[in-house]
């Protein structure tokens, strides 16, 4: 019997995981901002009754910047044409601030903190900035040494200290990346480093390297949406998975997803500036609806939306 592909099903080969693609994907493409070649990996949060995305945008001249996008329904976004974050024009970091992409957003009390990479010759370092309205921002400090690409802040203190998940990696041929934990009294000075998860996870989809996003507090633990990379003769493949960390000791892994939650399997994820990539910079939790929204970069070219049940993802981690 000939099985015809459902015209509303965007997947090419596999059934979806615990994250389901929005059928209208991709929701933001370079066509939404004429003159751009890529709109991808986005920080994400909510403010009042709006969903806020902080988009990595690369124009045709190749100088990236970050633009704010706002939405009332989480689907239709209005993109602000003026960059919210662009290269620093003064200070000791000016020469290194050449690649404004991949932001992570964490709300702590009433302040939104943004961590993003800068690129000195030895490898990425992390810039910390803050805003209260996504209209104005304040640069705080460089908060990491190379190579630590975009640490992710916890949304509240634990035992009186700020915590973050780091992503150190080995530069060169393999670029193996791991997840570490560190703490701070003031968000600027960091120490007490602990390894959380190495890059040799038992799941083949994340054998090469992994990386974090800002943790989400649940009753069962800190839900941590991660990316994982598998390298083969065909190149690298970026997928999305999850870890669950202990609430009081986030260095301790309570559980992990039994496989990927989302893996590249559509035309817009498999073709683009960097093929075979689904890449998260965060997630938005709605506990009343038991819904997790993940706005992810697809092939470093456009943005897709995937949603899933928070409880199902946590249960998968705890199996």
């Amino acid at each position: 019997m000939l099985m015809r592909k459902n015209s509303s099903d965007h997947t090419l080969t596999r059934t979806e995981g615990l994250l389901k693609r929005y059928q209208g994907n991709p929701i933001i493409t370079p066509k939404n901002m004429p003159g751009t070649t890529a709109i991808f990996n986005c920080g994400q949060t909510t403010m009042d009754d709006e969903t806020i995305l902080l988009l990595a945008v690369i124009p045709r001249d190749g100088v990236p910047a970050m633009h704010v996008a706002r939405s009332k329904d989480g689907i239709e976004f209005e993109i602000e044409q003026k960059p919210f974050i662009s290269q620093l024009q003064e200070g000791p970091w000016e020469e290194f601030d050449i690649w404004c992409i991949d932001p992570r957003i964490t709300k702590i009390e009433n302040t939104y903190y943004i961590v993003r990479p800068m690129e000195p010759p030895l490898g990425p370092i992390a810039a910390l900035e803050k805003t209260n309205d996504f209209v104005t921002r304040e640069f705080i400090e460089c908060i990491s040494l190379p190579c630590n690409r975009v640490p992710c802040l916890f949304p509240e203190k634990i035992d009186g200290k700020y915590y973050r998940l780091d992503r150190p990696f080995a530069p060169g041929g393999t670029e193996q990346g791991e997840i570490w934990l560190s703490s701070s009294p003031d968000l600027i000075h960091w120490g007490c480093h602990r390894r959380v998860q190495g890059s040799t996870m038992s799941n083949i989809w994340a054998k090469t390297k992994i990386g974090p996003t800002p943790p989400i507090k649940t009753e069962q633990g800190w839900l941590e949406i991660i990316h994982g990379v598998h390298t083969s003769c065909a190149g690298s493949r970026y997928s999305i998975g999850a870890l669950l960390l202990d609430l009081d000791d986030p260095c301790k892994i309570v559980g992990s997803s039994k496989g990927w939650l989302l893996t590249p399997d559509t035309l817009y994820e498999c073709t683009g500036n960097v093929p075979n990539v689904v890449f998260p910079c965060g997630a938005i939790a709605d506990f009343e609806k038991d819904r997790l929204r993940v706005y992810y970069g697809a092939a470093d070219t456009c943005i897709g939306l995937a949603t899933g049940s928070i409880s199902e993802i946590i249960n998968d981690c705890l199996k």
Side-chain angles (χ1 to χ4, degrees):
M1 178 179 179
L2 178 64
M3 299 297 293
R4 295 188 179 276
K5 183 177 181 292
N6 189 320
S7 61
S8 64
D9 181 7
H10 293 301
T11 58
L12 301 177
T13 54
R14 283 169 283 268
T15 57
E16 291 185 297
L18 293 181
L19 287 175
K20 310 295 185 182
R21 295 170 180 84
Y22 171 61
Q23 287 297 309
N25 275 352
I27 63 169
I28 300 176
T29 76
K31 291 182 178 180
N32 295 110
M33 290 187 70
T36 64
T37 63
I39 302 177
F40 59 118
N41 305 352
C42 56
Q44 50 210 273
T45 189
T46 58
M47 186 173 66
D48 299 327
D49 61 344
E50 289 186 319
T51 298
I52 303 290
L53 300 184
L54 188 52
L55 311 174
V57 176
I58 300 182
R60 288 176 183 164
D61 64 10
V63 181
M66 299 185 197
H67 293 247
V68 173
R70 303 174 186 267
S71 174
K72 295 291 187 180
D73 62 5
I75 301 295
E76 299 290 337
F77 284 87
E78 293 187 6
I79 304 173
E80 297 180 1
Q81 296 302 304
K82 180 180 178 181
F84 179 61
I85 295 178
S86 54
Q87 295 172 300
L88 296 172
Q89 300 301 313
E90 58 183 15
W93 312 115
E94 177 185 355
E95 63 178 308
F96 305 138
D97 195 17
I98 58 174
W99 201 240
C100 297
I101 64 169
D102 294 1
R104 269 68 162 183
I105 302 171
T106 301
K107 184 181 181 182
I108 303 177
E109 296 179 345
N110 295 317
T111 300
Y112 295 88
Y113 291 91
I114 301 164
V115 185
R116 64 183 183 87
M118 297 187 289
E119 300 280 349
L122 288 180
I125 55 179
L128 176 64
E129 305 187 66
K130 67 179 181 180
T131 184
N132 294 108
D133 53 13
F134 289 93
V135 176
T136 61
R137 81 183 205 274
E138 177 185 345
F139 179 85
I140 299 175
E141 187 53 87
C142 172
I143 58 171
S144 79
L145 290 169
C147 295
N148 189 352
R149 187 175 184 81
V150 196
C152 297
L153 302 175
F154 282 71
E156 62 183 59
K157 291 182 178 180
I158 303 172
D159 289 335
K161 293 182 179 180
Y162 295 102
Y163 278 81
R164 77 183 190 194
L165 294 172
D166 294 303
R167 213 303 288 274
F169 68 94
T174 60
E175 292 194 354
Q176 287 187 326
E178 302 185 337
I179 296 178
W180 284 58
L181 183 78
S182 56
S183 61
S184 169
D186 57 8
L187 290 174
I188 296 175
H189 304 91
W190 294 88
C192 302
H193 308 291
R194 304 287 187 272
R195 188 188 197 222
V196 177
Q197 175 65 63
S199 57
T200 54
M201 295 181 68
S202 59
N203 289 317
I204 193 171
W205 65 271
K207 278 285 188 182
T208 302
K209 58 183 175 181
I210 55 176
T213 62
I216 297 170
K217 189 176 185 179
T218 75
E219 293 182 356
Q220 294 85 355
W222 295 102
L223 178 60
E224 172 59 23
I225 299 301
I226 65 171
H227 74 266
V229 182
H230 170 63
T231 303
S232 70
C233 59
S236 295
R237 184 179 188 87
Y238 283 71
S239 303
I240 298 174
L243 299 174
L244 196 64
L245 309 178
D246 186 85
L247 286 176
D248 299 318
D249 182 9
C251 188
K252 179 182 177 182
I253 297 177
V254 178
S256 63
S257 59
K258 298 304 173 282
W260 43 261
L261 304 178
L262 189 75
T263 197
D265 206 25
T266 68
L267 187 62
Y268 56 87
E269 296 163 350
C270 296
T271 60
N273 292 328
V274 183
N276 301 321
V277 172
V278 293
F279 190 90
C281 288
I284 298 174
D286 185 335
F287 291 100
E288 290 186 2
K289 296 181 179 179
D290 186 31
R291 184 179 68 163
L292 188 74
R293 285 184 286 157
V294 180
Y295 296 89
Y296 64 94
D300 277 16
T301 303
C302 57
I303 290 176
L305 167 62
T307 61
S309 162
I310 298 172
S311 59
E312 286 183 2
I313 293 171
I314 290 175
N315 288 338
D316 186 60
C317 289
L318 292 174
K319 286 180 181 177

